[in-house]
Amino acid sequence: MLNLVWVQTFLALIEQKSFLGTAEKLGIAQPTATLHIQKLEEQLGKPLFLRSRTGCEPTRDALNFLPYAQSILRVNDRALAAVSGDHLRIGASSNIGIYLLQPHIRSYLRTHGDKAYDIVIDRNPAIAEKLENSEIDVAVMEWWDNRDGCHAQYWKSEPVVVIVPPDHALGHQARISCDELSRHDLLGGEPGTGTGRMLARYFGGTVPVPRVAMQLGSTEAVKQAVKAGLGISLVLASAVADEVKAGSLRALPFVAPPLEKELYVVWRGGLPGLPAPAFVQHLLSGTDMAVAQVS
């Protein structure tokens, strides 16, 4: 079992690059800091630092160990926070965190105070990993892959639209069909959003799924590229509400049936019968709790 104090000293030495600086930072004696590192090296069976008169440099083994050491202390902090108070760490995939979640957080903070949460916005796969590793308490995501130890609940469905510049050949249309879209290449946004799987289900094999011609990395980049006339794309309708209102983009919903993305709220599982975290209850308070339960 790794000693948390030794791990803390290891991270301080990575930062300070000297045992003296590490001891001063942690408020311990220099021989104690040296002993911590020696004990950790013995336990791991590898030298972690190259000592010299000018300081200490981490070895390759130390750099390999570094992200795990950081994660260990983050989980420790999360565990202490979970027991000591009502502080919540929320994770959200980028599109949800940027375009959808803020009003719900604002209303949550009215009753829980502005120090009741932290929010992490990242790609959907990264958020899933952070939840699995207990680095966040609740995740709001564009898909969920039923990992062990977590509960997931359908939150809402968000319309997906095709965006085009106002002067595009499709710009005069009120809606678009699968057949029409299949004749166009799409600009791709952030990887890992599940849009490809969603399209495959929607098109159902009867019409070719549009090809993604360019992967731009984010919805904001996609919007700017479409405005510049580089192509067309698919986005959540909420992501382009301002641009559609301003007239800089046209948003075309699909003819019936509409294309929608199901969004989920996921949290770490506790003992059976325990209530969901307060923020989960807050999000779901206005939705049908019986719809699309997955866990």
Side-chain angles (χ1 to χ4, degrees), residues 145-168:
D145 53 7
N146 298 319
R147 303 187 188 196
D148 291 337
C150 297
H151 299 295
Q153 169 74 51
Y154 167 86
W155 176 36
K156 62 184 292 187
S157 291
E158 178 69 10
V160 176
V161 295
V162 178
I163 55 171
V164 302
D167 59 353
H168 193 273

Side-chain angles (χ1 to χ4, degrees), residues 144-147 149-157 262-269 273-277 280-281 284 287-295:
W144 177 246
D145 53 7
N146 298 319
R147 303 187 188 196
C150 297
H151 299 295
Q153 169 74 51
Y154 167 86
W155 176 36
K156 62 184 292 187
S157 291
E262 293 183 343
L263 309 179
Y264 296 91
V265 55
V266 193
W267 64 99
R268 296 285 306 173
L274 287 180
V280 173
Q281 297 181 46
L284 297 176
T287 63
D288 182 358
M289 294 286 288
V291 176
Q293 174 77 36
V294 290
S295 59

Side-chain angles (χ1 to χ4, degrees), residues 74 78 88-94 96-98 101-102 105 117-123 126-127 130-131 135-140:
R74 281 197 299 267
R78 291 298 311 130
L88 195 67
R89 190 164 174 84
I90 303 165
S93 63
S94 299
I96 295 173
I98 294 170
L101 202 58
Q102 304 305 328
I105 290 176
Y117 88 109
D118 294 316
I119 186 166
V120 178
I121 298 175
D122 208 330
R123 297 184 306 109
I127 292 298
K130 289 179 186 298
L131 182 66
E135 295 179 31
I136 56 177
D137 303 299
V138 175
V140 192

Side-chain angles (χ1 to χ4, degrees), residues 193-224:
T193 61
T195 299
R197 294 190 294 272
M198 177 191 67
L199 279 176
R201 289 194 302 268
Y202 186 78
F203 278 69
T206 58
V207 178
V209 177
R211 184 177 72 92
V212 177
M214 189 185 307
Q215 202 77 46
L216 297 177
S218 72
T219 298
E220 284 300 311
V222 164
K223 291 193 291 186
Q224 295 303 320

